[in-house]
Amino acid sequence: MAKSRFTRLDAFTKTVEDARIRTTSGGIVTIVSLIVVFFLAWGEWADYRRIVVHPELVVDKGRGERMEIHLNISFPRIPCELLTLDVMDVSGEQQHGVQHGVKKTRLRPQNEGGGPIDSKTLSLHAADESAAHLDPSYCGPCYGANPPASASKPGCCQTCEEVRNAYAEASWAFGKGEGVEQCEREHYAEKLDEQRYEGCRIEGGLRVNKVIGNFHLAPGRSFSNGNMHVHDLKNYWDTPVQGGHSFTHTIHSLRFGPQLPDDVHKKLGKGKHMPWTNHHLNPLDSTHQETDDPNYNYMYFVKIVPTSYLPLGWEKQFSGFRENHAADIGQFGQGDDGSVETHQYSVTSHKRSLAGGDDAAEGHQERLHSKGGIPGVFFSYDISPMKVINREERAKTFIGFLAGLCAIVGGTLTVAAAVDRAMFEGGIRLRKLRNKDL
């Protein structure tokens, strides 16, 4: 038989069938090695299918972006009518008395359980108290202020609310509306006094510029007086409540941007090695602050870190990042490809009495507080220039999986062959020693 020129290159020499010996120990080693190969191959396959999150830290190069703030805060000792939510930032944008996307829920007095009041009584100004039932030619006076742009009848103040808006735009204090016919007709002062012992829950979302800014919850209507942001505190101080109102509050939840979906939490929360297992835990959730001092101020300084979550295969559906400013509150930052643009944050807090003094009662007499300010709860936020990108990836590539599989098969069979050879030769030597003894 003619030999091929490649015969000399054959690294796998063969033996003839008659020269092969099959042993019981060899069969056992073969079965064990096959079991080991299947077990390790299954582990390699599971490792290939495993999804890991690789965090990256990059410079945030976004421009002109916006973000959402979602909050749920309860104030058991101040009524909704006295509570105002304002937003402002370094770009000069201000939102006074935010209402869009935010809901106020009146709460029963604490001695009655503090539960929410029936939705039919949530409005201080009922629909039947509007000026619709008055003479069509009626034009309510604004008492020296210019009619608000939102007036139902141009050039007139038909309701107590419209007179209050006109006073706020003129930067005038309003009070209970004594001598204002619209407020007296609607019994504004009486209904305000009825709500004095109630609490209020503020919940919802608002969209702001992604720049340094703050939002706060403080008493009274707010307005700008020159370069100053001012609140009308007359109704806050003139209260029949013994001891006055206070800003005791509970932050049920506060987050910046959308929450990660539940399926992501379940998927990423299986292993301790996952870096996102605590992402859904916001530092201020379930925070409670208690005070009996109506002249008290709470400040939270928040550092926000932009964070992206990119699921496996997101690049196949990615068509360029575009902010949908028309999206409803709560839908902003969620892409069609499954990606999520959200924010993590850290926070430090500070509280003080506006009457000044020190913290001697807490053992820090060296801490001196300045006098003055507005009572309320203030959140000051700053945006980090760095961005965290959490990207889902396979633990290894398909080529890596094949390489690992070959290593498992080759390594296991090599070790098994060595074990079988050792057992076979050991058996031969034992038989020789027995024969000599005989």
Side-chain angles (χ1 to χ4, degrees):
M1 180 177 178
K3 293 185 178 181
S4 168
R5 65 179 65 180
F6 295 106
T7 302
R8 290 176 298 176
L9 302 178
D10 186 4
F12 307 100
T13 55
K14 287 79 177 176
T15 58
V16 296
E17 185 68 27
D18 294 341
R20 295 178 181 176
I21 301 176
R22 301 183 185 276
T23 62
T24 302
S25 60
I28 295 174
V29 170
T30 301
I31 294 175
V32 172
S33 63
L34 288 176
I35 294 174
V36 171
V37 166
F38 282 119
F39 177 76
L40 295 179
W42 173 257
E44 188 72 11
W45 170 254
D47 190 46
Y48 166 66
R49 297 293 299 172
R50 182 168 58 89
I51 297 175
V52 296
V53 176
H54 287 166
E56 305 172 19
L57 188 64
V58 300
V59 175
D60 189 2
K61 299 180 180 180
R63 294 181 299 173
E65 297 180 355
R66 295 174 71 83
M67 68 177 181
E68 285 186 353
I69 302 174
H70 298 268
L71 68 160
N72 186 344
I73 308 175
S74 293
F75 298 86
R77 298 177 60 181
I78 182 169
C80 287
E81 180 60 21
L82 294 182
L83 204 56
T84 302
L85 171 62
D86 296 325
V87 183
M88 56 191 67
D89 59 47
V90 294
S91 69
E93 181 174 308
Q94 298 187 16
Q95 301 179 46
H96 293 174
V98 175
Q99 295 292 337
H100 177 68
V102 176
K103 181 176 68 174
K104 289 183 178 180
T105 302
R106 285 169 54 194
L107 304 177
R108 300 185 185 281
Q110 288 182 297
N111 57 9
E112 296 180 13
I117 296 177
D118 186 78
S119 60
K120 294 181 181 179
T121 61
L122 286 181
S123 176
L124 184 69
H125 309 283
D128 57 359
E129 293 173 348
S130 66
H133 64 285
L134 300 176
D135 191 297
S137 61
Y138 172 78
C139 179
C142 296
Y143 298 89
N146 293 323
S150 59
S152 57
K153 186 174 183 179
C156 304
C157 292
Q158 302 294 82
T159 64
C160 183
E161 183 72 11
E162 291 180 357
V163 177
R164 296 181 67 209
N165 289 336
Y167 268 56
E169 292 180 6
S171 302
W172 295 347
F174 184 76
K176 295 183 179 180
E178 297 89 341
V180 178
E181 63 172 287
Q182 295 93 326
C183 296
E184 292 179 350
R185 180 181 67 235
E186 298 173 12
H187 306 289
Y188 172 76
E190 292 85 345
K191 293 195 173 182
L192 176 60
D193 288 339
E194 290 177 2
Q195 296 183 14
R196 288 290 192 175
Y197 294 90
E198 296 178 0
C200 186
R201 183 170 67 238
I202 303 286
E203 57 183 320
L206 49 124
R207 196 166 294 167
V208 299
N209 294 323
K210 195 173 176 180
V211 296
I212 298 173
N214 77 82
F215 64 95
H216 57 265
L217 296 115
R221 283 294 180 94
S222 59
F223 51 86
S224 296
N225 189 352
N227 294 327
M228 297 181 61
H229 180 76
V230 184
H231 282 255
D232 180 4
L233 303 179
K234 181 175 176 55
N235 285 337
Y236 180 74
W237 296 122
D238 296 343
T239 174
V241 178
Q242 185 177 3
H245 302 293
S246 77
F247 273 89
T248 292
H249 63 278
T250 300
I251 303 175
H252 304 291
S253 65
L254 178 67
R255 57 185 171 88
F256 297 83
Q259 187 76 296
L260 285 180
D262 291 338
D263 60 333
V264 175
H265 291 159
K266 294 178 181 178
K267 179 168 56 177
L268 299 182
K270 291 180 179 179
K272 294 182 179 180
H273 58 278
M274 295 297 183
W276 269 50
T277 52
N278 65 340
H279 178 270
H280 60 292
L281 301 178
N282 299 307
L284 284 176
D285 287 2
S286 302
T287 298
H288 179 75
Q289 296 281 7
E290 186 86 25
T291 181
D292 293 324
D293 186 357
N295 201 24
Y296 216 75
N297 176 289
Y298 293 93
M299 298 194 69
Y300 297 95
F301 300 93
V302 181
K303 294 290 186 179
I304 298 175
V305 181
T307 304
S308 294
Y309 169 74
L310 305 178
L312 188 67
W314 70 275
E315 64 278 356
K316 297 178 182 178
Q317 305 179 38
F318 182 69
S319 58
F321 178 71
R322 299 185 302 272
E323 284 192 334
N324 183 12
H325 295 285
D328 295 333
I329 295 292
Q331 301 298 320
F332 195 71
Q334 299 183 3
D336 296 333
D337 52 8
S339 62
V340 179
E341 293 287 334
T342 185
H343 304 83
Q344 302 178 74
Y345 69 92
S346 63
V347 61
T348 55
S349 61
H350 177 70
K351 57 185 179 180
R352 69 182 179 93
S353 172
L354 302 182
D358 55 34
D359 286 342
E362 299 180 6
H364 297 283
Q365 191 172 359
E366 71 281 1
R367 295 180 184 173
L368 302 178
H369 300 303
S370 60
K371 293 184 179 180
I374 300 174
V377 179
F378 294 75
F379 298 87
S380 178
Y381 55 87
D382 192 2
I383 311 296
S384 170
M386 307 305 292
K387 182 176 185 177
V388 177
I389 299 178
N390 292 276
R391 193 190 311 271
E392 275 190 1
E393 295 178 352
R394 294 284 186 193
K396 59 175 58 181
T397 63
F398 184 70
I399 298 298
F401 164 70
L402 291 180
L405 200 60
C406 292
I408 289 172
V409 174
T412 303
L413 294 182
T414 299
V415 173
V419 171
D420 178 64
R421 186 70 180 177
M423 293 176 64
F424 177 70
E425 292 183 354
I428 293 177
R429 291 184 179 183
L430 285 175
R431 283 196 296 270
K432 289 181 177 180
L433 291 175
R434 290 176 181 175
N435 291 333
K436 287 181 179 181
D437 293 338
L438 295 174

